[in-house]
């Protein structure tokens, strides 16, 4: 197969590229940066911005399957970059798929598209998108991911089969977001537990998330595929206590557990003030806490993944303890290299 992976140079995208190359696909990646490590694997690296229609459409030429993984993440209060990368970018990917007669499109969504500020315990895909709450609370990342997911699923038809995968909290070696940020915050003494510390969350080891993308693509190729036009939650299959897990990650980096805490209400108030301040002064960096983050860090959110298991055979092949060991080895290697 000839596949296109948007965001192939990112954390999840690179694992997807590696697994596709291993099974013998021809792989092209699309993103703004240069990725010599992908080229070394044999991936064709095409550089461009998702907001550039011509560049995206051209990148789809000659391809039969697209994994649309690229997105702008984060909690910045500036909306435009999210609209451009996540909403317009997805429209451009759909245009490219249609113009080049691509038959399968797998979109990396996020469970946060359904997050409305309250606990989600064992919910399945019947839970609706939380468009109103996300827009009202200016969670532009999740809001634009939700709009994009809608566009992708509505586009499903016999010529172009589509699906959306919602992996929760992806972690593992080479993460450049969650784990480095946690470690940096903890080292500087700025990391605070938000809420009671009893909330349960789902998460997923990065190679399991990548494998699910390949499995969903295979299932989409089948006649009358049950996957076509659907969204799926993905996780390790068992939630963890959010703050105990954070302490375990810190322990891998030889950092003491989180001691300071803040109630959810106090974090919400600080988030409200910071969001207003960053907006007023047009600050492009991300506030250290927002209302969305305060709610996410203090509530439980874990999901029923039986649909993914049933429809495309997803199983978390790498266990959480094996994943933590691999993460620990990688952190130790990073530490050794930085000395
Ligand atoms: N990490 C998580 O916990 C998590 C959880 C749920 C869902 N997801 C979803 O999983 C996907 C991958 O996330 P990740 O953690 O791997 O993030 P990542 O490491 O930041 O990768 C994102 C990729 O998107 C590309 N990209 C961003 N903006 C772009 C633009 N305007 N034009 C072209 N390419 C652009 C980046 O490449 P360049 O910078 O080189 O352009 C990068 O390769 C995203 O769709 C995210 O929403 C992630």
């Amino acid at each position: 197969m000839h596949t296109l992976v948007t965001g192939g140079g990112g954390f999840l995208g690179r694992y997807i590229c590696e697994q596709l190359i291993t099974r013998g696909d021809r792989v092209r990646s699309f993103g703004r940066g240069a990725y010599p490590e992908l080229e070394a694997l044999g991936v064709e690296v095409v550089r461009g911005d998702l907001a550039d229609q011509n560049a995206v459409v051209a990148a789809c030429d000659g391809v039969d399957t697209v994994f649309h993984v690229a997105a702008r993440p984060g909690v910045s209060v500036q909306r435009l970059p999210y609209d451009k990368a996540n909403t317009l970018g997805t429209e451009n990917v759909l245009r490219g798929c249609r113009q080049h007669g691509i038959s399968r499109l797998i979109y990396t969504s996020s469970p946060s598209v359904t997050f409305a500020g309250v606990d989600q315990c064992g919910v399945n895909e019947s839970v609706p998108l939380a468009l109103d709450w996300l827009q009202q609370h200016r969670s532009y990342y999740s809001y634009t991911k939700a709009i994009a997911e809608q566009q992708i699923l509505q586009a499903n038809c016999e010529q172009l089969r589509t699906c959306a995968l919602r992996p929760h909290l992806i972690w593992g070696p080479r993460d450049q977001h969650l784990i480095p940020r946690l470690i940096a915050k903890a080292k500087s003494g700025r990391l605070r537990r938000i809420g009671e510390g009893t909330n349960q969350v789902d998460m997923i080891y990065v190679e399991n998330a990548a494998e699910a993308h390949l499995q969903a693509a295979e299932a989409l190729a089948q006649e009358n595929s049950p996957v076509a036009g659907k969204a799926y939650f993905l996780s390790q299959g068992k939630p963890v206590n959010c703050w105990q897990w954070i302490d375990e990650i810190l322990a891998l980096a030889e950092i003491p557990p989180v001691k300071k805490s803040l109630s959810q209400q106090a974090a919400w108030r600080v988030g409200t003030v910071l969001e207003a301040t960053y907006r007023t002064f047009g600050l492009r960096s991300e506030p250290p806490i927002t209302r969305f983050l305060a709610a996410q860090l203090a509530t439980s959110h874990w999901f029923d993944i039986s649909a993914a298991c049933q429809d495309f055979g997803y199983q978390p092949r790498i266990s959480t303890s094996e994943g933590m060991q691999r993460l620990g080895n990688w952190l130790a290697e990073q530490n050794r290299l930085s000395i």
Side-chain angles (χ1 to χ4, degrees):
M1 281 206 308
H2 193 183
T3 51
L4 170 68
V5 182
T6 69
F11 175 43
L12 172 63
R14 186 167 153 198
Y15 281 96
I16 293 176
C17 288
E18 286 169 348
Q19 292 184 10
L20 290 169
I21 289 281
T22 302
R23 77 168 191 194
D25 279 19
R26 274 172 70 201
V27 183
R28 179 182 295 156
S29 88
F30 180 85
R32 294 162 302 179
Y35 293 99
E37 65 281 8
L38 286 184
E39 283 176 331
L41 287 173
V43 174
E44 179 195 358
V45 174
V46 172
R47 293 182 70 173
D49 195 306
L50 282 169
D52 179 345
Q53 185 182 315
N54 293 337
V56 176
V57 171
C60 292
D61 190 14
V63 161
D64 46 56
T65 302
V66 174
F67 295 91
H68 179 29
V69 184
R72 181 189 170 88
V75 292
S76 164
V77 299
Q78 310 296 333
R79 177 167 173 168
L80 190 60
Y82 293 100
D83 283 340
K84 277 183 157 174
N86 301 352
T87 316
L88 177 63
T90 298
E91 281 167 22
N92 289 337
V93 170
L94 281 167
R95 193 169 282 119
C97 289
R98 289 180 183 126
Q99 283 195 20
H100 292 288
I102 288 167
S103 56
R104 284 177 286 172
L105 169 58
I106 297 90
Y107 172 63
T108 316
S109 185
S110 161
S112 65
V113 298
T114 65
F115 184 66
V118 292
D119 288 328
Q120 294 179 293
C121 299
V123 298
N124 67 17
E125 290 81 1
S126 63
V127 66
L129 297 177
L131 288 165
D132 291 345
W133 190 90
L134 294 169
Q135 188 173 33
Q136 210 181 336
H137 295 86
R138 297 191 171 90
S139 173
Y140 298 131
Y141 164 73
S142 303
Y143 179 70
T144 53
K145 292 290 289 184
I147 297 281
E149 185 187 288
Q150 255 183 346
Q151 291 173 337
I152 295 273
L153 298 183
Q154 280 167 5
N156 177 59
C157 60
E158 198 37 48
Q159 294 74 29
L160 173 64
R161 297 186 192 171
T162 66
C163 70
L165 303 182
R166 300 170 173 169
H168 196 256
L169 261 182
I170 307 172
W171 58 281
R174 306 200 302 237
D175 176 17
Q176 299 302 321
H177 297 295
L178 173 75
I179 286 159
R181 281 185 195 187
L182 268 181
I183 291 175
K185 264 200 160 184
K187 276 188 174 165
S188 68
R190 288 178 296 123
L191 186 61
R192 282 181 169 71
R193 192 191 75 216
I194 311 289
E196 303 293 313
T198 54
N199 52 322
Q200 301 274 313
V201 295
D202 260 340
M203 39 66 155
I204 184 166
Y205 183 69
V206 62
E207 289 181 60
N208 293 336
E211 196 173 324
H213 282 69
L214 274 67
Q215 290 173 316
E218 270 181 38
L220 267 187
Q222 291 160 14
E223 196 85 352
N224 297 321
S225 173
V227 176
K230 285 205 209 143
Y232 293 91
F233 290 116
L234 291 172
S235 74
Q236 285 295 99
K238 196 169 183 291
V240 292
N241 175 294
C242 176
W243 294 95
Q244 277 172 17
W245 183 57
I246 287 175
D247 283 345
E248 282 173 34
I249 292 172
L250 296 179
L252 291 176
E254 297 174 4
I255 296 170
V258 185
K259 293 260 167 38
K260 298 178 194 163
S261 65
L262 200 62
S263 72
Q264 184 181 351
Q265 293 75 9
W268 182 274
R269 284 195 295 274
V270 176
T272 308
V273 172
L274 286 178
E275 283 176 46
T277 310
Y278 275 61
R279 246 194 337 275
T280 306
F281 294 103
L283 301 181
R284 287 181 185 280
S285 58
E286 297 186 357
I289 189 85
T290 62
R291 290 170 297 169
F292 172 81
L293 270 182
Q296 275 266 313
L297 289 168
T299 55
S300 287
H301 22 102
W302 52 278
F303 307 92
D304 176 358
I305 60 162
S306 54
C309 303
Q310 208 172 304
D311 288 359
F312 56 89
Y314 171 71
Q315 282 299 328
R317 200 173 45 78
I318 294 166
S319 68
T320 300
S321 59
E322 168 66 22
M324 287 298 271
Q325 203 167 341
R326 293 185 189 189
L327 177 65
N329 293 344
W330 178 73
L331 287 170
E333 178 67 9
Q334 297 298 106
N335 200 23
R336 198 181 58 75
L337 292 175
S338 69
I339 292 172

